[in-house]
Amino acid sequence: MEDEEESSNGGVPPRKKLRLTKEQSRLLEESFRQNHTLNPRQKEALAMELKLRPRQVEVWFQNRRARSKLKQTEMECEYLKRWFGSLTEQNRRLQREVEELRAMKVGPPTVLSPHSCEPLPASTLTMCPRCERVTTTATDKGPTQITAAISTTAATALSSKVGTPALQSRSSSAAC
DNA sequence: GACGCGAGGCCTATTACATCA
DNA sequence: TCTGATGTAATAGGCCTCGCG
């Protein structure tokens, strides 16, 4: 493109835009399915086969990677939205349940300590997001910490479903 | 071995053109 | 024919890695 003749508008050539043929797109897609990146030799060979410049093949792969990443992000976003909806619903149900229990004027359930076999107050109990065991260590967690714990659990669950390395690495950094 | 430098590749944001409703 | 929306090729700039002196 850059070696084409310049136009009359101040020496700046109008940017022409190539439209790939269906066959070219098909071959590029096929190649992308096999490998999301190309080494210089593969790029050269593919460009030759498609009668394109190596730079055009490179740009196509860059844009293609960006498109698939965008698609993946959109899917994750949809999943998180649905999950948020179900968590909200679950939260509503649990709050209703609490209200009902309060209305019944039933005291908190007595839980015995696994260590001393003495009763523990329910307010000191919390669920570990990783091992899903009840612990008694985090009695004074504020809302921020609790939200962080929930987010970590969410990220873990999402990454296990979607399989995103970034999310997995982020979630694995949370301490148990 | 540490450091600076340039080349090359990738990513991201953006631009600009082609096409279509 | 005009126009706005959409898709996508192409560009620009920044970051990272690698090889070399």
Side-chain angles (χ1 to χ4, degrees):
Chain A
M1 212 72 77
E2 61 272 13
D3 50 8
E4 284 178 1
E5 75 279 11
E6 293 187 350
S7 72
S8 57
N9 56 346
V12 181
R15 191 154 122 185
K16 288 273 176 60
K17 187 163 172 171
L18 165 84
R19 301 298 294 192
L20 297 170
T21 65
K22 280 186 180 165
E23 182 60 11
Q24 283 171 326
S25 296
R26 189 187 66 77
L27 274 171
L28 284 164
E29 282 290 346
E30 200 172 294
S31 167
F32 184 78
R33 268 198 300 277
Q34 289 165 11
N35 224 332
H36 285 204
T37 54
L38 293 175
N39 62 40
R41 195 174 294 179
Q42 288 173 317
K43 192 199 300 176
E44 194 74 41
L46 193 54
M48 194 110 78
E49 190 180 353
L50 296 169
K51 295 184 172 57
L52 294 171
R53 288 192 298 277
R55 172 68 183 153
Q56 288 176 303
V57 173
E58 185 181 311
V59 165
W60 187 90
F61 268 76
Q62 274 174 16
N63 285 321
R64 186 65 181 77
R65 280 192 293 270
R67 281 198 294 273
S68 53
K69 187 174 181 184
L70 177 65
K71 209 170 178 179
Q72 170 86 13
T73 305
E74 283 171 352
M75 283 168 60
E76 288 176 9
C77 182
E78 278 307 307
Y79 178 81
L80 286 171
K81 271 191 210 164
R82 284 200 302 275
W83 198 26
F84 175 75
S86 75
L87 283 177
T88 305
E89 177 55 31
Q90 191 179 347
N91 187 32
R92 246 197 303 271
R93 275 205 315 273
L94 289 169
Q95 277 180 355
R96 265 204 305 272
E97 204 174 320
V98 167
E99 289 303 319
E100 284 167 16
L101 289 170
R102 282 208 180 113
M104 289 164 68
K105 295 197 175 176
V106 174
T110 306
V111 178
L112 297 179
S113 162
H115 309 293
S116 62
C117 292
E118 287 176 8
L120 292 170
S123 60
T124 66
L125 298 175
T126 182
M127 178 78 85
C128 171
R130 288 190 72 187
C131 61
E132 293 188 355
R133 280 189 211 128
V134 174
T135 66
T136 59
T137 52
T139 55
D140 56 348
K141 275 188 176 176
T144 309
Q145 287 169 292
I146 291 170
T147 307
I150 292 170
S151 301
T152 302
T153 318
T156 308
L158 177 64
S159 62
S160 70
K161 284 189 166 49
V162 181
T164 308
L167 283 170
Q168 283 171 343
S169 63
R170 243 176 281 151
S171 61
S172 64
S173 66
C176 180

